[in-house]
Amino acid sequence: MKREIGDKNIDSALRPSRWEEYIGQEKTKGNLRMIIEAAKMRGEAVDHLLFYGQAGLGKTTLAALVAKETSAPLRIITGSSIEKAGDLAALLSSLEDGEVLFIDEAHRLNPAAEEVLYPAMESRKLHIVIGKGTGAHAVSIDLPPFTLIAATTRFDMLSSPLRSRFGAIFHLEFYTQGEIAEILRRSAKLLSVKADGEGLEVLAKASRFTPRTANRLLKRARDYLAVKNLKVIDKETARAILGIMEIDDLGLEPVERKILELIALKFKKGPVGIRTITAASGEEQATIEEVYEPYLMKLGFIKRTPAGRVLEEEAVEHLRREQWRV
Ligand code: ADE
């Protein structure tokens, strides 16, 4: 019996496991391959790496590829899961030779844990204090060669001592619409879903230049096909999916359109401060700054200026097309 891949396992099934399958981020990919190749030639662990950029652009996927290419085990944790410096010390001392330790959301590491990381990254030493009071003494433990890969959506929140200890820093960028269409084509094939060029184009345009969002739309389109007993994702099907998900042809969510409309009407296209937008929209400032704004700026819809956010004419035209009241 042919088994369908269940929704939960889809994300890992779609994740590229070889460089040849990884579409986009050409500069980063080229540099990484060179670093890995050189480390292999020298018989050393790959240097510590930092990936930063928007959520969903492939930071974890790249870390997994680095581990795979070096045949190293991969351990994944997130910065906020380390509560005490001792947790990180225990983890580091349990690393295997050559292991890749991936710390997601590295900006959430607490400062005491960061202190443990510095000597570990620099000289593969763990400095720990044993005992308390007058009997306390410091011991230094040697760690095996390992590679730390840290990922963050907030480069600005990483301390500079931590930043300076990475051998290479990569900024992951938004994908092009063409790359996203290619990723969608590959994913559709892996999921045995039929999609025509126009259908994929509609999904790609609404994907916010982000593979994770693209694959999410594809999964919902696949559900829609199954429920409606349809065979192909074409333009109409793709548009119907966007309608159901309440996102427009550029992938904007209702809350983003609300924010644009707010700046257009209430604040006469700005400039308006982020705090004012936060208060007026009822959204979290961090979400506005880290999720909505980067994409709106990429679209050229808003601009950050010293005086505040300014709405661009393209945004007004888009809202008009979407029949908003501006
Ligand atoms: N799936 C998610 N990201 C991908 C990428 N960059 N290339 C191919 N498939 C992907």
Side-chain angles (χ1 to χ4, degrees), residues 198-217:
E198 286 183 331
L200 287 183
E201 198 179 315
V202 171
L203 295 184
K205 201 170 166 204
S207 297
R208 309 171 72 95
F209 311 112
T210 306
R212 186 182 293 162
T213 311
N215 284 334
R216 186 166 61 217
L217 291 179

Side-chain angles (χ1 to χ4, degrees), residues 14-16 21-25 56-58 61 175 183 186-187 211-212 215:
L14 296 183
R15 189 163 275 177
E21 295 174 2
Y22 193 104
I23 296 154
Q25 307 293 350
L57 294 182
T61 308
Y175 291 66
I183 289 171
R186 171 181 179 272
S187 300
R212 186 182 293 162
N215 284 334

Side-chain angles (χ1 to χ4, degrees), residues 11 22 26 38 124 149 180 212 259 326:
D11 294 331
Y22 193 104
E26 298 301 328
R124 282 199 241 124
I149 304 184
I180 293 289
R212 186 182 293 162
I259 289 171
V326 292

